[in-house]
Amino acid sequence: MDSTHSADATGGTPVTRHLPGHIAAALAGAGGPADSAGQPWEGRSLAGDDGKIHNFEDDDGSADSGYLAAVGALVDGSGDEAAVVASLATARVFIPIIARLGAEAEGVDGLAVDKQADMALVTLKAADGRTAMPAFSSADQLAAWHPEARPVAVYAARAALSAVAEGAELLVLDPGSDVTLVVRRPAVWALAQQQDWVPSYTDSTLAGEMAAAAAGFPAVRNIELRPGAGVAAVTRGGVVLSGGGAGPELQVVLYLEDGLDAAAVQELVSGLQSAWSRNVLFGERVDSIEIKLRRAVQ
């Protein structure tokens, strides 16, 4: 027996994920989701005549050196995605906003003129249907992706908080560039809370919780956590990276007793996913899973 079952972290049925208290409190302090960048748009100067970036004096718009070093290590194989996320804890990034026409009025000679224009954060739709927010390591990267978007400089932790406020579960770094990386939901939450992030496939505490739940199913002889098939990202040049993919990010290998038929296996897997989805730690630290079945060695 050697087969794979794929499902999201909720057992295939989407459920509402409650925000951790730190994130909810931060959103409330920033004015709530209606003010996802933390300040009112009205009266904001995004860039002065001298080209300085708003809120970051003497910022020339270049990429953060720590982030570049972490990405470089990921590309050459000496680093991992946890180090990339850790570098974002102190990095400045740019989030794009665009003008959105709220209403029109008739002007001179019957020509339509803007009556009201609002500034809106840009969001993307991921392949699995979830909302993602783009963020850019440099002003040049953002301009190359969308020349008409205006860059707002923020710390990556603020960008993560803005993503949560906009209902985005993913943060996409430098989309359209040579190296595009995805920060998945648990890492986005960790950034927003300014906490360290541990990938689920290396999380010993999570492994213990999942094994404890599996102990309630006698047919499961052992459980093993590994990186999922969706952890890897690929650069534009075809280099496969050990992190930065959109998921599924966690592979759960179940070693089962022999003699189970298909119906019994399906019932077992469904029961396990249901048990895991009720675990708070699992809900916070696992973004998406795939399950691989193997026969336990007698």
Side-chain angles (χ1 to χ4, degrees):
M1 176 173 56
D2 193 343
S3 58
T4 301
H5 289 242
S6 295
D8 68 15
T10 64
T13 303
V15 298
T16 301
R17 295 184 185 276
H18 299 290
L19 294 179
H22 292 298
I23 295 183
L27 284 175
D35 184 19
S36 57
Q39 301 179 43
W41 293 117
E42 184 177 359
R44 176 175 297 180
S45 172
L46 297 175
D49 294 337
D50 59 357
K52 297 295 188 295
I53 305 301
H54 177 76
N55 276 347
F56 286 81
E57 187 176 358
D58 298 326
D59 192 334
D60 62 2
S62 61
D64 179 85
S65 59
Y67 175 74
L68 288 180
V71 172
L74 183 66
V75 172
D76 68 24
S78 63
D80 56 29
E81 63 177 353
V84 173
V85 173
S87 75
L88 290 171
T90 56
R92 181 271 292 121
V93 297
F94 295 94
I95 55 175
I97 64 169
I98 58 173
R100 180 178 58 190
L101 183 60
E104 289 185 343
E106 187 173 305
V108 180
D109 299 325
L111 297 176
V113 297
D114 290 358
K115 181 178 180 181
Q116 178 182 347
D118 300 321
M119 304 308 293
L121 290 171
V122 177
T123 57
L124 308 172
K125 190 66 70 176
D128 61 4
R130 289 188 293 175
T131 301
M133 177 177 286
F136 296 84
S137 59
S138 71
D140 287 344
Q141 290 279 18
L142 187 153
W145 180 74
H146 196 317
E148 297 179 3
R150 299 184 184 183
V152 175
V154 295
Y155 284 110
R158 170 63 68 179
L161 193 60
S162 296
V164 175
E166 293 295 317
E169 294 193 357
L170 308 172
L171 198 63
V172 183
L173 300 170
D174 291 335
S177 69
D178 291 341
V179 181
T180 298
L181 303 176
V182 175
V183 181
R184 297 180 295 274
R185 178 188 53 79
V188 172
W189 282 11
L191 273 174
Q193 297 175 86
Q194 300 182 56
Q195 295 180 351
D196 293 337
W197 172 67
V198 178
S200 59
Y201 50 85
T202 64
D203 192 330
S204 59
T205 303
L206 174 67
E209 295 268 347
M210 294 181 67
F217 297 79
V220 179
R221 299 299 176 82
N222 196 13
I223 177 175
E224 189 176 327
L225 304 190
R226 300 176 179 175
V231 165
V234 181
T235 69
R236 181 179 288 173
V239 177
V240 179
L241 310 180
S242 63
E249 114 270 2
L250 178 64
Q251 181 183 101
V252 183
V253 182
L254 297 177
Y255 293 88
L256 306 180
E257 68 180 19
D258 201 7
L260 298 176
D261 60 21
V265 169
Q266 185 61 49
E267 182 179 0
L268 173 64
V269 171
S270 296
L272 268 173
Q273 289 180 321
S274 179
W276 288 332
S277 68
R278 294 192 297 270
N279 184 285
V280 174
L281 190 71
F282 179 87
E284 291 185 358
R285 299 189 182 182
V286 178
D287 182 60
S288 51
I289 67 173
E290 56 185 7
I291 296 178
K292 191 174 185 66
L293 307 177
R294 289 188 174 175
R295 182 185 295 111
V297 177
Q298 301 298 320

